[in-house]
Amino acid sequence: MSSETTFPINPTSSGAAIAADLPAKNTFQVADYVVFVFMLLISAAIGIYFAFEQRRSKSETTDSYLMANRQMSYGPVSMSLIASFMSSVTILGVPAEYYIYGSMFTWFGLLYLLIPFIIGWIYLPVFYDLGISSTYEYLERRFNRATRLICTFMFLVLSVLYGGIVVYGPALALSEATGFDMWIAILSTGLVCIFYTSLGGLKAVIWTDVFQAILMITGFIAVIIQGSINFNGFSNIWKAAEEGGRIDFVHFEFDPRIRHTFWAMMVGGVIFWISINGVNQTQVQRYLCCKTKRDAKIAIILNGIGLVVILVLAGMTGLTIFATYRHCDPIDSGKIRKSDQLFPFIVMDILGYLPGIPGLFVAGVYSSSLSTISSGMNAMACVALEDFIKPFTKWKTKTYTLLSKLLSLGFGVSFILLAYLASHVGGLIRMAYSVHGIIGGPVVGLFTIGIMLPFVNGWGALVGVCLGWGSSIWMFVGSTFYPKSEEFFNVLPRSTKGCSASDVISSVSDEARALEVTLAERVFNTTLISSTSSSVTTERPPIADFYAASYLYLAVVGCLTTIVFAILFSLLTGFTKRNPPPKELLWSLYHSTRDEDKAPLERSSSWFSPTALANAQAVRNLSNSSLKFEGTEQESLTKSNLKQGASSFDDVLYGEERESSI
């Protein structure tokens, strides 16, 4: 007798649709199209509203368009950060991750809570206090223009490739599982996104992100609720997942070749998520548009909490999918072709009987595409303008504002073109995710040495980041030529024993069935490994074990290579002795204001007149008041008074002495 528990399924629902021999592809109803179109119209309306608001208030400048006048509060910014992270690939891929590999992915939630404090303590204060628009402007101030331009170029290449995949990937998955026309979806979402981003700027992007984040979360909740109804409670879904081996949090092995272990996720995950949330222009631009540094830090923390909520919902959705299809896997039975189609498939399966709900889900998935590409368009327009155009031109403000809109439009069109190319050249998809991994680690290393290692000079930084990229490319190419064995992927078993003969649409031989590689794996290592051991060559050189390291270590290798060689070449070229970096470009620990404020008080007052001492005390009072009213109108007034008078004790005390001597 089988030891598996039998869970009751609501007979009125379509939870056992495979067993009921539903057609392989469901189709949209009129209500679903209405819901989808309604989502697009609301997104477009938000862009129109902010475009008219800027014109009515006559505040349409480059700063208002690209940086929302730096007056956003933490609420909408945190929602925008969440929506930008939740790309359609994430929404489709994370539930599939739990379905195929189990729950180890949940450990990333710990990083989501840790990373905001690292960013808020080390990186954000430097970027925010400089008042920059492009993250890469920091690199020129700290190192040299060559480092800035090469990193900007790499960011633009990455963003165009990734944006094209974000448009194409979900369209393909949804068209296969729901029957929704792929090219209608690509063109409609792409054009609407170009429209509201080009028209309304960053404010429109942020507020549409808020609306779209709500839609994304709704899709997860709908599946979880319906699945819980079908199984008479989520506790039964959890039990089914336990029996199927999907509940597993205890991989603490030190073998770096194992795909997901606690150590790989903690070490490699830190570098990876800092590259996304700490130094990537798309995310940093949102921090910098907050009206105060405090708002920016709160937005980052709320973003981390929100990502944990999303991760939990996505994991629950993946477990619901497994419980529903544990005895008749839709991939092996031929109902769908790959794991990214699992989420839309179950929506059409268990929620298809409710008019408009599948349309709401598809709207949520495409909302994630909209949020990702609109954020990318705005960020790319910002860095292209700030890094490649403004340093070499002296045009009017209106010209720059118009140009930023044209740049947004152009980058949006490039996403659609990349989506078209990706449909014909499959390698582009793999290359896009590979580039994402190759670039991330070295860039984190570059910004880290800039902020935390004041002795590293421009030559060291430039050589270090180039060699960092080289090491990442070398590791990726090696993993392609020498793929690791199936045993290190920890793919969990799936079953088709509950399928009837009519359920199996097409049989797939063991030799032809490729190992499913979901979201996280495709980010770095997109090699498809055959499920048979014969696919991995027996002649493996010793270095093949290095290539077989988890994809999470790719960012670590690139980051460490950048740091080590930057220090080495700085040593060979004299460090920064001749040209030390200004303190405002370094970590706050290097320029504590406490000592500077105490210094004037230690000088003997006998050297100065009573008038000078009184003026110095007045400056001190103004300085203290500016700290008390940080982020308020009083702060601006106090700073204005300081500028009109003297800015420090030295200016007051020594200034009077200089005048008397003259």
Side-chain angles (χ1 to χ4, degrees):
M1 177 178 289
S2 174
S3 61
E4 292 185 349
T5 305
T6 301
F7 301 104
I9 298 180
N10 190 334
T12 62
S13 73
S14 54
I18 287 187
D21 193 24
L22 286 182
K25 181 182 292 187
N26 298 292
T27 56
F28 261 33
Q29 302 178 21
V30 174
D32 300 318
Y33 284 104
V34 170
V35 171
F36 181 74
V37 172
F38 184 67
M39 179 274 294
L40 295 179
L41 290 177
I42 291 181
S43 299
I46 293 174
I48 294 173
Y49 169 78
F50 282 106
F52 275 107
E53 182 192 50
Q54 290 179 2
R55 291 190 178 184
R56 184 178 65 251
S57 60
K58 297 182 180 180
S59 62
E60 190 177 27
T61 63
T62 306
D63 197 58
S64 67
Y65 181 80
L66 294 175
M67 301 299 298
N69 278 328
R70 303 178 191 268
Q71 291 298 311
M72 297 299 297
S73 60
Y74 59 81
V77 171
S78 62
M79 291 292 286
S80 178
L81 291 169
I82 295 170
S84 298
F85 164 80
M86 282 197 307
S87 71
S88 51
V89 183
T90 302
I91 288 184
L92 299 176
V94 173
E97 168 76 26
Y98 280 78
Y99 181 87
I100 293 174
Y101 297 105
S103 59
M104 273 299 295
F105 198 81
T106 310
W107 282 111
F108 274 125
L110 183 60
L111 288 180
Y112 296 160
L113 297 177
L114 174 65
I115 293 299
F117 293 97
I118 297 177
I119 296 172
W121 186 38
I122 298 176
Y123 301 93
L124 170 64
V126 176
F127 296 148
Y128 194 92
D129 290 341
L130 289 175
I132 57 180
S133 298
S134 168
T135 313
Y136 307 105
E137 182 180 343
Y138 169 83
L139 296 178
E140 180 174 355
R141 295 193 187 186
R142 175 64 178 86
F143 299 119
N144 49 55
R145 177 167 291 184
T147 304
R148 173 184 182 177
L149 294 181
I150 191 172
C151 287
T152 302
F153 176 75
M154 296 299 286
F155 167 75
L156 293 176
V157 171
L158 167 63
S159 299
V160 170
L161 288 172
Y162 187 72
I165 303 312
V166 165
V167 173
Y168 171 72
L172 176 62
L174 288 169
S175 66
E176 291 286 339
T178 68
F180 191 64
D181 186 85
M182 181 176 68
W183 287 107
I184 289 178
I186 288 177
L187 291 176
S188 59
T189 54
L191 293 177
V192 168
C193 187
I194 291 171
F195 174 76
Y196 75 73
T197 304
S198 302
L199 202 62
L202 186 59
K203 278 188 178 181
V205 171
I206 288 176
W207 282 106
T208 50
D209 283 349
V210 173
F211 165 66
Q212 290 156 4
I214 296 172
L215 285 180
M216 300 177 216
I217 294 172
T218 302
F220 286 133
I221 294 176
V223 170
I224 294 169
I225 291 176
Q226 184 63 59
S228 299
I229 293 173
N230 293 346
F231 285 89
N232 290 338
F234 190 80
S235 60
N236 287 328
I237 293 176
W238 184 271
K239 290 179 182 177
E242 280 186 320
E243 293 179 354
R246 264 60 184 177
I247 307 301
D248 181 11
F249 302 99
V250 292
H251 282 286
F252 290 94
E253 301 93 335
F254 289 98
D255 190 338
R257 296 172 295 179
I258 299 176
R259 180 176 177 271
H260 276 169
T261 65
F262 175 83
W263 310 111
M265 299 175 81
M266 292 300 106
V267 176
V270 166
I271 304 299
F272 175 58
W273 293 116
I274 290 177
S275 73
I276 290 179
N277 289 316
V279 299
N280 187 285
Q281 172 69 20
T282 304
Q283 299 292 74
V284 174
Q285 189 173 342
R286 280 152 183 70
Y287 309 156
L288 301 182
C289 76
C290 289
K291 56 186 176 183
T292 67
K293 193 190 302 183
R294 177 176 176 272
D295 279 68
K297 290 183 177 181
I298 294 175
I300 297 173
I301 294 173
L302 292 179
N303 173 46
I305 296 173
L307 293 181
V308 172
V309 173
I310 296 301
L311 179 63
V312 171
L313 292 176
M316 294 174 69
T317 301
L319 299 182
T320 302
I321 296 172
F322 174 77
T324 303
Y325 304 122
R326 61 187 301 214
H327 297 305
C328 187
D329 176 64
I331 301 173
D332 292 343
S333 65
K335 293 287 185 180
I336 58 178
R337 292 197 299 172
K338 57 182 182 178
S339 62
D340 287 346
Q341 297 170 349
L342 284 166
F343 194 8
F345 182 79
I346 194 174
V347 169
M348 297 301 297
D349 193 358
I350 70 176
L351 294 170
Y353 70 98
L354 297 172
I357 297 300
L360 183 64
F361 164 74
V362 172
V365 176
Y366 279 103
S367 289
S368 63
S369 290
L370 288 174
S371 65
T372 303
I373 61 178
S374 63
S375 302
M377 288 166 57
N378 192 265
M380 293 168 72
C382 182
V383 299
L385 188 69
E386 296 291 335
D387 297 347
F388 287 115
I389 298 176
K390 274 191 174 182
F392 307 100
T393 59
K394 293 182 179 180
W395 297 335
K396 296 181 179 179
T397 302
K398 289 184 177 181
T399 303
Y400 287 124
T401 303
L402 176 61
L403 187 57
S404 61
K405 293 183 178 182
L406 294 176
L407 287 170
S408 293
L409 190 152
F411 287 126
V413 172
S414 70
F415 291 158
I416 297 178
L417 294 177
L418 253 294
Y420 177 78
L421 290 176
S423 66
H424 291 81
V425 184
L428 284 177
I429 298 178
R430 294 192 294 273
M431 184 58 66
Y433 286 104
S434 304
V435 171
H436 200 294
I438 291 168
I439 291 177
V443 171
V444 171
L446 183 63
F447 277 99
T448 301
I449 61 178
I451 293 173
M452 302 186 70
L453 302 180
F455 54 84
V456 173
N457 59 30
W459 278 109
L462 184 60
V463 173
V465 74
C466 290
L467 291 178
W469 285 326
S471 66
S472 299
I473 295 172
W474 166 53
M475 188 174 181
F476 169 73
V477 173
S479 67
T480 303
F481 280 100
Y482 298 101
K484 60 185 173 184
S485 173
E486 175 193 356
E487 63 182 294
F488 299 115
F489 282 90
N490 290 332
V491 179
L492 299 174
R494 306 193 295 262
S495 173
T496 57
K497 66 181 181 180
C499 300
S500 64
S502 58
D503 289 331
V504 182
I505 295 178
S506 61
S507 61
V508 184
S509 66
D510 289 339
E511 291 76 13
R513 184 185 296 123
L515 177 67
E516 282 296 322
V517 182
T518 56
L519 166 72
E521 184 70 18
R522 286 200 309 270
V523 171
F524 294 117
N525 189 349
T526 58
T527 307
L528 296 180
I529 314 298
S530 171
S531 62
T532 60
S533 58
S534 60
S535 64
V536 180
T537 178
T538 56
E539 296 181 4
R540 295 172 62 84
I543 200 173
D545 288 330
F546 171 74
Y547 297 143
S550 169
Y551 71 94
L552 290 169
Y553 289 115
L554 182 60
V556 177
V557 170
C559 179
L560 292 180
T561 302
T562 299
I563 294 174
V564 169
F565 281 97
I567 295 174
L568 177 60
F569 275 82
S570 294
L571 171 64
L572 297 176
T573 53
F575 289 125
T576 55
K577 293 180 180 179
R578 296 182 179 179
N579 188 24
K583 289 185 177 181
E584 62 267 20
L585 300 178
L586 304 175
W587 193 13
S588 58
L589 293 183
Y590 288 110
H591 53 94
S592 174
T593 58
R594 186 176 302 171
D595 294 336
E596 295 175 3
D597 290 342
K598 287 182 178 178
L601 300 179
E602 296 173 358
R603 296 188 180 121
S604 173
S605 60
S606 62
W607 289 91
F608 307 105
S609 68
T611 303
L613 289 172
N615 290 338
Q617 184 61 41
V619 171
R620 179 184 179 184
N621 294 336
L622 285 172
S623 177
N624 291 336
S625 66
S626 69
L627 296 176
K628 294 178 181 178
F629 299 109
E630 182 180 357
T632 64
E633 293 182 2
Q634 289 93 328
E635 180 194 20
S636 301
L637 180 61
T638 303
K639 289 182 177 179
S640 176
N641 292 336
L642 284 171
K643 289 181 179 179
Q644 292 176 4
S647 60
S648 69
F649 290 99
D650 288 348
D651 291 337
V652 176
L653 298 176
Y654 290 105
E656 181 173 315
E657 294 300 317
R658 284 194 296 268
E659 289 180 2
S660 62
S661 65
I662 293 174

